[in-house]
Structure formats: C-alpha cells, structure tokens
Amino acid sequence: MEYSDQILIGPFLRRLALHSKLTDAEQRALGELPAEVEHIPARRDLVRIGQHVADACFIVEGLVGRFEQTSQGQRQITGLHVAGDLADLNSVVLPQAYSALSTLTATTIVRLPHAPLRLLAGDYPGIARAFWQESALDAARLSRWAANLGRKDAVARTAHLICELACRYLGSPPTAFDLPLSATQSDLGDMLGLTRNHVNRTFKVLRTADLLTWYGSKLRVLDFDKLVAIAEFDPSYLALSSFDANG
Amino acid sequence: MEYSDQILIGPFLRRLALHSKLTDAEQRALGELPAEVEHIPARRDLVRIGQHVADACFIVEGLVGRFEQTSQGQRQITGLHVAGDLADLNSVVLPQAYSALSTLTATTIVRLPHAPLRLLAGDYPGIARAFWQESALDAARLSRWAANLGRKDAVARTAHLICELACRYLGSPPTAFDLPLSATQSDLGDMLGLTRNHVNRTFKVLRTADLLTWYGSKLRVLDFDKLVAIAEFDPSYLALSSFDANG
DNA sequence: CGCATATTTGATAGATTTCAATTTATGTGG
DNA sequence: CCACATAAATTGAAATCTATCAAATATGCG
C-alpha cells in the first residue's frame, strides 16, 4: 500500500459528496475500504467482455476507456474514465461485463472488491444512493456520447469530445489549457467512430482554425469557447459543481 | 385507477426478480406503490431536458424513446423503453433531466412519485440494489447503442436495432414474428443516426434480401437469424433470462 | 543508425446526405 | 363514399462526407 486510503479515495469521496449528502459515518466507512495500488501500462485490459468481475477499479491516475468490440476486431470506445472515477462501479450489481475496460495511458488504479462495497451499500442507504447515482450519471454521459456519434459530423464530434474531457479533467470550463490526452489518433478514432485517417484530417481542420495545437501526445486548447460553439456543448450533463447545482 | 396495482407493476416486478432476489416483503412493498393510469398520445414529451422531475414513468403499454437534441432541432434517440420498463428510474437519483423522454406511439403509463420510491430504496436494500441494477443495465444498453452508431453501416445498424427491439418485446429470440414498431421512418432515422431518406433505402435493402416486410406501421421479420448475423447481434447485454443466467 | 510506430498527405471509392419531386397512405369533413 | 388535406413513403440525381488504399514523412527507442 503506497498511500493512505483516505488520500486515494479522497477525490471520489468529494465527487460523491458533490451530488449526494453523505453522513460522517458514511464517509468514514468509505474511507476504510481496503486499497492497494496497482500500476498498469497503457493498452491493457482491466476487464474483458463476458468476464465475471469481482472488484471495481478506482482510477488514481491515467485514462481508461470503455470498449465495445465487433467480431471483426472493430472497436468503439463509448466512454472514458479519468482520475477520481470509480470506473466500473456498475459491476457491483452486474458482475458479468458487457463492455471491456482498457487503459489508454499508463494508469494507477485501486481494485475495490465487490464484497465490502455491497456491504456498505446494504448498511448505508446514503452510500447505496450515491453509487446508484454514479451509474445514472454514467448513463447520462453514454446517452450524450451516442447522440454525438449519431448526429454530429467529424469536426463537431471531435470538438465535443475535447470539451467533455477538458471539463472532466479540470472540473470547470477552461479558457486555454493543456489536455494530457496521451491517446493515439487511432484511439481517438475509436472514441469518435472515425478512422485514424480521418481523425488526422479533422485535427488538421481544428488546427488550421487555430482552435488547438497537438504536440507530442499533448493537446493544447487555444479557443475553448469556439470549440463549445462548434460542438454545441452543454456541460450540465456532467453534473460538475462548477456549472450548476444539482439536486 | 383502472386496474389493481399488482397487475400493473407485475411485469416490472418479474423483470426485477429476474436479476435480483427480492424478499416477499420487498415485493409486497413494491406492489403497494400508488398507481394511476394515464393514456398519452403519440409524440408527446413525458420529460423535457432540464426539467426537474418528480416521478418516474412506468410503461404499461406503448413505446417511449430517450431523446437528445441539438440546438438546430436535430434529434437523436439513444434508447427505447417498452411495456414493463420503468423508463426514467434514473430520475430518482438525478431529478434534473439531461435527456428528454417522449412517446413514439400512443402509450399507457403510470407515474410513480419519487418520494415513495426513495423510501423503499432506503428501507429495503434489495430494492435499492434492484433499482441501481436497472440503471446499470440502462448504461449497458446505451453503450451498445453508441457502438452501433459509431462502428456499423446503415444496414447492420438497422438490423441491430430490430434485433434488440425484438428480443426486448418478446423476451426471447424469435424466428419469424411481427414487431409492433409503429414508429415512422423519421423516428427510425433518429434512432439510427440516419436521415429518414436513407432509412427508407436501407429498409429496401432488407426487404429485397427477404429479411423483413414493412406494412402499415408494422414490421414482420422473416429471417431473424440472418438479421442477427448482419448485425453481429449478441443479446447477452440485454440480460434477458431466456438467453443466459445472470448473477 | 535501424527499426517500429505514429502522423501526415494524396487519390479514389463508397456511403450518406441533401435537395427535389412523385407517389402512396391516412385522416377528416361533407 | 368521395374529395380534400396532410403526412409518410418512395425514388432520383447531385453534392458532401468519410473510408479505404497507398505512400511518405516524422518520431521515439534500443
């Protein structure tokens, strides 16, 4: 165990508390969960489709994607998890995985066994509700992600992805900033439902319009507001405190 | 009140019991929820984006869609709810709606106020877990829906939609059957991320291949297995008992 | 340096949208 | 039952977007 549990789970606790009111006892109970850090390289499966999962992955650092795959080997990323997310909390109530979970970058995680999570949810209604709410937010993000794939062209779709990621990384709408998006353009294609080839062209368009630059595997956003406009991005579905209060 | 509550909620109870074990007391408590039937015409909003919702909609009969919409008036349907679904159970923990909910056909619903649902979830851990699980299944369907939009062409996408709907209507994989899909091709376009124009052409392809017929607003599937093959459809994510057991 | 991987670019084919028009259903009032 | 109005389905042609194939250029790494 490298850090104290409290420090690890802290960001997630803050996130939960943001939407749900947790009593001191509930917060303490969450903080006492067993936690052992694991360092995982990029491009590794945390969960495979069909696997019977026995723990949920808390992301300490890094970027993790939710993958669907066709038999042809085609992949579609349907959601992302950043530091502070409890990536597959769903698995507590659905142990059989219907999507895969893979690291996009080198990632530090903590595996939280289902058993104590179930006990917590059973003993503390506030925790049960907070967990359920996380799944509901997951669904809200997935729904928006689907709308993106269905009804926006490559440029707007890409802009929307960048906006979502920026807000979730920073917790607030930024102006100009660096996004540690160390994913390849292939990965971006899997997120956007585009070929890596077309991702490249699309980024070129955004670069030419002076909306962003792309150096190394880091993205610098130059004009967030214009990206928001192109993407028709409305951050309220992310339920981040910086944007609006949420009951 | 037109029917007894038990009869109304019955299908949903059976669905819940399919995944989660509920005690007799829990089932009884659910059965005692207040229930008043409402008949709603096609093409009406049950929930608008941004609205602060105070009850969840149980679908007794009909077809309801989850809508995302762009400012340009473009719409994308990201999921469907059929008879027996508790459509926006999510709203119990996320009262502010991030997606709209609209009827696609004439629909009979029961509005279940949040307050008693919250009490039930607080008093009975089994119910809390069952509700959470419904949200998790919602997320699983949304993820697959997104993958569909991102990585399949019009024909495969359409085939997949039909397969999902068929399985959810019938609860089991059918051979040849009628699908009461009384949605216009425009609505289908909103589901599939296609123009109504291209939906029409796509159905023509499926018809020409003798996979289905389309008369009135009813769909007859002629070759379910071939549709499954085209769609690369794997029903396990629907967690219907007829396909596989689910922990 | 040499290799592997990722990015960039070009040319072409294919899929889908858009615009436009026609035909076919569906409903409504007389 | 008919005439009419309206909405939906069907079809066509052109424009646009994206994928596919192929190659060239960077970039990182041992």
Side-chain angles (χ1 to χ4, degrees):
Chain A
M1 230 180 286
E2 301 190 11
Y3 313 100
S4 110
D5 308 346
Q6 279 291 358
I7 291 175
L8 280 176
I9 305 291
F12 181 63
L13 265 181
R14 273 195 295 282
R15 178 105 42 103
L16 281 186
L18 208 147
H19 314 128
S20 321
K21 292 209 176 8
L22 294 176
T23 65
D24 288 346
E26 285 168 346
Q27 295 194 35
R28 217 175 312 120
L30 278 169
E32 283 164 1
L33 283 170
E36 200 160 342
V37 171
E38 272 179 68
H39 296 286
I40 309 212
R43 224 156 287 286
R44 294 294 165 83
D45 285 345
L46 300 178
V47 173
R48 283 169 220 273
I49 292 184
Q51 185 184 337
H52 199 277
V53 183
D55 35 38
C57 296
F58 174 73
I59 315 284
V60 179
E61 192 53 59
L63 188 61
V64 170
R66 175 176 192 153
F67 285 75
E68 303 276 338
Q69 35 206 146
T70 70
S71 57
Q72 321 278 315
Q74 291 232 87
R75 306 187 311 171
Q76 174 68 47
I77 299 177
T78 59
L80 296 173
H81 291 288
V82 301
D85 285 357
L86 225 167
D88 55 350
L89 192 50
N90 282 350
S91 66
V92 174
V93 286
L94 279 185
Q96 186 183 339
Y98 301 129
S99 319
L101 215 57
S102 298
T103 59
L104 292 166
T105 69
T107 301
T108 308
I109 68 167
V110 173
R111 289 190 197 271
L112 300 173
H114 284 170
L117 290 174
R118 284 211 191 90
L119 288 177
L120 281 182
D123 291 346
Y124 300 96
I127 291 179
R129 184 178 161 164
F131 284 177
W132 176 12
Q133 192 173 48
E134 284 299 307
S135 289
L137 282 171
D138 219 38
R141 285 191 298 266
L142 283 163
S143 180
R144 199 56 63 90
W145 195 289
N148 235 348
L149 290 171
R151 283 300 186 210
K152 289 199 205 316
D153 65 14
V155 173
R157 227 183 289 177
T158 305
H160 196 281
L161 173 65
I162 293 170
C163 291
E164 170 173 335
L165 211 42
C167 291
R168 288 175 65 193
Y169 264 121
L170 305 177
S172 63
T175 50
F177 66 102
D178 279 349
L179 199 59
L181 179 56
S182 38
T184 66
Q185 295 188 346
S186 263
D187 291 332
L188 285 164
D190 289 338
M191 299 176 204
L192 296 165
L194 300 172
T195 57
R196 59 180 178 285
N197 219 323
H198 201 62
V199 170
N200 190 281
R201 277 184 263 264
T202 305
F203 268 80
K204 191 177 169 183
V205 171
L206 294 174
R207 243 180 307 144
T208 306
D210 287 324
L211 300 180
L212 51 77
T213 59
W214 170 271
Y215 52 102
S217 51
K218 225 173 180 178
L219 188 72
R220 165 160 292 176
V221 174
L222 301 177
D223 192 335
F224 183 74
D225 292 340
K226 207 168 277 178
L227 278 181
V228 167
I230 290 175
E232 299 193 60
F233 177 72
D234 171 4
S236 59
Y237 73 105
L238 297 173
L240 299 168
S241 59
S242 339
F243 302 101
D244 59 18
N246 180 281
Chain B
M1 227 178 287
E2 301 190 11
Y3 313 101
S4 108
D5 308 346
Q6 278 293 356
I7 291 173
L8 280 175
I9 304 291
F12 181 62
L13 264 181
R14 272 194 295 282
R15 179 102 44 102
L16 281 187
L18 209 147
H19 313 127
S20 321
K21 292 211 176 7
L22 295 175
T23 65
D24 288 346
E26 286 168 346
Q27 295 194 38
R28 219 174 311 118
L30 278 169
E32 284 164 2
L33 283 170
E36 199 159 344
V37 170
E38 274 180 67
H39 296 285
I40 311 213
R43 225 156 286 286
R44 293 294 165 82
D45 284 344
L46 300 178
V47 173
R48 283 169 222 273
I49 291 183
Q51 186 183 338
H52 199 277
V53 183
D55 35 39
C57 297
F58 175 73
I59 316 284
V60 178
E61 193 53 59
L63 188 61
V64 170
R66 175 177 192 153
F67 285 75
E68 303 277 337
Q69 33 206 147
T70 71
S71 56
Q72 320 279 314
Q74 293 232 86
R75 306 188 312 172
Q76 173 68 48
I77 299 177
T78 59
L80 297 173
H81 290 289
V82 301
D85 285 357
L86 225 167
D88 55 349
L89 193 50
N90 282 350
S91 66
V92 174
V93 286
L94 280 185
Q96 186 183 340
Y98 302 128
S99 319
L101 216 56
S102 298
T103 59
L104 292 166
T105 70
T107 301
T108 308
I109 66 166
V110 174
R111 289 191 198 270
L112 301 173
H114 284 171
L117 290 174
R118 283 211 191 90
L119 288 177
L120 281 183
D123 290 345
Y124 300 96
I127 291 180
R129 184 179 160 163
F131 284 178
W132 176 11
Q133 192 174 48
E134 284 299 307
S135 289
L137 282 171
D138 219 38
R141 285 190 299 264
L142 283 163
S143 179
R144 199 56 63 92
W145 195 289
N148 234 350
L149 290 171
R151 284 298 186 212
K152 289 200 206 313
D153 66 14
V155 172
R157 228 183 289 177
T158 305
H160 196 280
L161 173 66
I162 294 170
C163 290
E164 170 174 336
L165 212 43
C167 290
R168 288 176 64 195
Y169 264 121
L170 304 179
S172 63
T175 50
F177 65 102
D178 278 349
L179 198 59
L181 179 57
S182 40
T184 67
Q185 294 187 347
S186 263
D187 292 332
L188 284 164
D190 289 337
M191 299 176 204
L192 295 165
L194 300 171
T195 57
R196 61 181 177 286
N197 220 324
H198 201 61
V199 170
N200 189 281
R201 276 184 263 262
T202 304
F203 268 80
K204 190 177 170 184
V205 170
L206 293 173
R207 240 181 310 143
T208 306
D210 287 324
L211 301 180
L212 51 78
T213 59
W214 168 272
Y215 53 103
S217 50
K218 225 173 180 178
L219 189 72
R220 165 159 292 175
V221 173
L222 302 177
D223 193 336
F224 184 75
D225 292 340
K226 207 169 277 178
L227 278 183
V228 166
I230 290 175
E232 300 193 60
F233 177 71
D234 171 5
S236 58
Y237 73 105
L238 296 173
L240 299 169
S241 60
S242 339
F243 301 101
D244 59 19
N246 180 279

